[in-house]
Amino acid sequence: MIIVMRTAAQQADIEDVVGRLKQVGLSAHLSGGEERTVIGVIGTHFPEGLRDHLEAIEAVESVTRITRPYKLASREWKDSQTEVKVDGFWVGGSNFVVMAGPCSVESKEQLFTTARGVRASGASVLRGGAFKPRTSPYAFQGLGREGLELLAAAREQTGMPVVTEVLEPGEVSLVAEYADILQIGTRNMQNFPLLKEVGRTDKPVLLKRGLSATIEEWLMAAEYVMAGGNFRVILCERGIRTFETAVRNTLDLSAIPVLKRLTHLPVIVDTSHAAGKRYLVKPLALAAAAVGADGLIIEVHPTPDTAMSDGPQSLTLEDFDDLMGSLQPILSAVGRTLPVPAVLASA
Ligand code: PEP
Ligand code: MN
């Protein structure tokens, strides 16, 4: 429910409304605009007649129900686009944030070579998996804590903030010690204990779309994180399961303009996992930028043929540089620019 206060409302009027909400077990989120205060109301049970009572208050201008099942993530709740701050720049708005790096952190040399290369080509965030969610239990599971330490060392070297996946609620505090952005992978989009746990942190969360999740289910997952108090959610479309076998997943480009209508959260696109094949990564990335995405996340490896995971979809450093060059005219056309991380900007 959204309560819009009149322009003439005083602080005491606002406190009165908030007090009444608390009395019936509801919580209030205030957003003070230049002209008037808007109170968002969250709770599981709205007592009968509450709306009428609120509407009868002199200082209240209007009371509207949020019709969507997700509340905090909806445009009804917040109409202006959310920009998520990461290390001195924002994901969203006029920025186009490119996150790039290997699927898995494999060694210091592999990570540092990739980090330096993608930075030189214009990436703003370094990606790399330390805890890997592999389909086969016999496949490489990631370097774990050692991988996190290497990511932190690469951040020191390059000034790029780091995004990495967290698989389990019990590992959130460990990963949050090292990461600038916590990634929730596609297989965990509806791992509710994990969503609640990252919702208790103050780190930005990169929430990938579930393999077979509808947009509404995805936004409900974002709502879990936000309901815990963490509003710094970045959505990531990474392709969904369809009958098509020519590609690893089907990239749902229409999800981007749909999300722009339904939610204020920024949305980036992972064309690597959508494509599964190197030659598709660039055309899909250009399309994602053209259709209104707020950024990309791309897998890059110095020698993809020797990669311990996702080599066939990983770009070489040269491929990635070519992609970034081709992106420029599209970014100019859509009025976006590549942000520079804080450390680098001041260097
Ligand atoms: C990844 O980013 O390496 C990954 C495993 O992605 P997804 O969860 O989208 O499959
Ligand atoms: Mn991967």
Side-chain angles (χ1 to χ4, degrees), residues 102-104 127-129 131-134 165 183-188 208-209 211 236 238-239 248-249 270 273-274 297 299 309-310 313:
C103 176
S104 300
R127 70 146 284 149
F131 294 98
K132 295 302 301 176
R134 305 306 301 282
E165 181 163 356
Q183 177 175 326
I184 301 293
T186 193
R187 294 157 189 83
N188 268 322
K208 290 196 157 193
R209 182 177 186 175
L211 274 177
C236 177
R238 47 79 70 205
R248 183 174 178 185
N249 294 287
D270 174 346
H273 290 89
I297 180 164
E299 286 185 338
S309 59
D310 287 346
Q313 69 197 29

Side-chain angles (χ1 to χ4, degrees), residues 241-258:
R241 270 288 157 79
T242 67
F243 53 82
E244 184 54 70
T245 55
V247 284
R248 183 174 178 185
N249 294 287
T250 297
L251 181 62
D252 182 8
L253 279 176
S254 49
I256 296 136
V258 169

Side-chain angles (χ1 to χ4, degrees), residues 51 66 70-71 85 87 97 122 151 155 250 269 275-276 286 289:
R51 188 171 167 180
I66 299 181
Y70 44 88
K71 310 291 176 194
K85 191 166 187 213
D87 191 43
V97 175
L151 284 165
R155 174 180 49 215
T250 297
V269 179
L286 301 183

Side-chain angles (χ1 to χ4, degrees), residues 106-148:
E106 298 169 8
S107 68
K108 183 172 176 189
E109 202 196 328
Q110 170 246 18
L111 184 65
F112 279 43
T113 306
T114 315
R116 282 193 292 263
V118 297
R119 177 60 220 141
S121 300
S124 308
V125 176
L126 176 64
R127 70 146 284 149
F131 294 98
K132 295 302 301 176
R134 305 306 301 282
T135 303
S136 164
Y138 309 118
F140 178 57
Q141 304 285 311
L143 295 181
R145 183 191 280 266
E146 189 192 339
L148 296 177

